[in-house]
Structures are given as C-alpha cells and as structure tokens.
Amino acid sequence: MCSPKVAWASIATWGNNVPIKLKLSIIIFTMEITDVLSVADISTALKECQANNSFDCKKFFMTCGLSKKSAEDIRKVFRAIDDDDSGFIEEDELKYFLQRFSAGARVLNDKETKTFMDGGDKDGDGRLGTDEFVDLVLS
C-alpha cells in the first residue's frame, strides 16, 4: 500500500508589484516494497539471511522474487530503498537494506555491505545508481 508524504513549498511571485506568497501542500504517495513483492516471499528471503554473514544479494533477490520483476518494478524498489532520494544507494543506506523490507530485520555487517556494494558498483563511485541496481538484480 502506498504511504502519503506531505511536501511543503513556498512560492513567491510578483504580480502588479505586490509579492504573493503561496504555501502549497503536495501529497506524494511513496511506493511500499510490498506493492511489488509479496509479504510471504519477503519473509522467506529474510529468514534465509537471519544469521550474521549469511546475506547473499543474488539469493535474496531470487527468493523474494525481485529478480523476476521488470526493470521498472526494480526501479520502484530502488526508490523505496533510496532513503534520501539522491538517486543513489550509498553505503549507509545499503547497510540497512534488509530493514527496508521489514523493520525488524537485521543490519548488514560491514563485510556484507562491502560485498553487496562491490557487486553492483560498476563505475567505482562508492554508491549504486538506479541502472547499476537494476543490472545487479537482473544479472
């Protein structure tokens, strides 16, 4: 189910030499990962990587069903994981990757995070772009 976020913006315009300020309220519906993947598949994938050092992104993608989805659906999941809406998943976001699927999931350790990042970061900038993430999931 989509969750609403409210964004506020102030706009100053000049008409007849009189400044006008408007406050706009925009409701943005954010995509939930369960809009793309089933709760049961996510649960199974999370159970398989509960133990420390057990996370394998390829296995996780296959088990939760993400690797069977379209590139557009994978991009939707990417946007849900990109907490700061930068268009990239940085290492600090990747560390909490499993928690984006379930709040009670564990945090990836440094080794798992580095392996995950190294598997997808093709341009070596230390972050995953949308296309890099899609390529990693589908590879």
Side-chain angles (χ1 to χ4, degrees):
M1 170 180 269
C2 292
S3 301
K5 282 186 183 178
V6 177
W8 295 93
S10 291
I11 300 174
T13 59
W14 296 87
N16 298 329
N17 296 326
V18 177
I20 300 171
K21 288 197 175 192
L22 303 173
K23 191 169 241 186
L24 300 177
S25 173
I26 302 169
I27 297 177
I28 302 168
F29 285 91
T30 59
M31 198 282 306
E32 298 289 336
I33 290 175
T34 54
D35 291 345
V36 175
L37 303 172
S38 79
V39 173
D41 289 343
I42 291 170
S43 179
T44 300
L46 289 170
K47 285 178 186 171
E48 289 181 356
C49 60
Q50 282 180 331
N52 197 30
N53 291 316
S54 64
F55 178 75
D56 176 323
C57 66
K58 298 287 191 171
K59 185 176 180 183
F60 185 85
F61 296 148
M62 288 177 58
T63 304
C64 75
L66 189 58
S67 62
K68 298 173 192 145
K69 298 295 180 179
S70 68
E72 184 52 38
D73 280 343
I74 296 167
R75 285 184 186 91
K76 289 176 185 176
V77 170
F78 175 92
R79 288 189 292 273
I81 296 167
D82 179 17
D83 289 331
D84 61 3
D85 296 322
S86 66
F88 295 94
I89 299 173
E90 291 86 7
E91 191 172 315
D92 59 328
E93 291 169 315
L94 202 56
K95 183 175 248 185
Y96 298 98
F97 176 80
L98 296 177
Q99 291 183 351
R100 298 304 294 148
F101 291 82
S102 175
R106 72 180 181 88
V107 174
L108 297 179
N109 65 38
D110 291 342
K111 180 182 174 191
E112 291 170 318
T113 303
K114 181 173 176 21
T115 301
F116 193 172
M117 182 64 74
D118 291 348
D121 182 21
K122 298 304 179 199
D123 61 9
D125 65 355
R127 56 193 187 166
L128 296 177
T130 308
D131 292 337
E132 289 172 320
F133 185 74
V134 171
D135 291 346
L136 178 62
V137 172
L138 294 177
S139 65

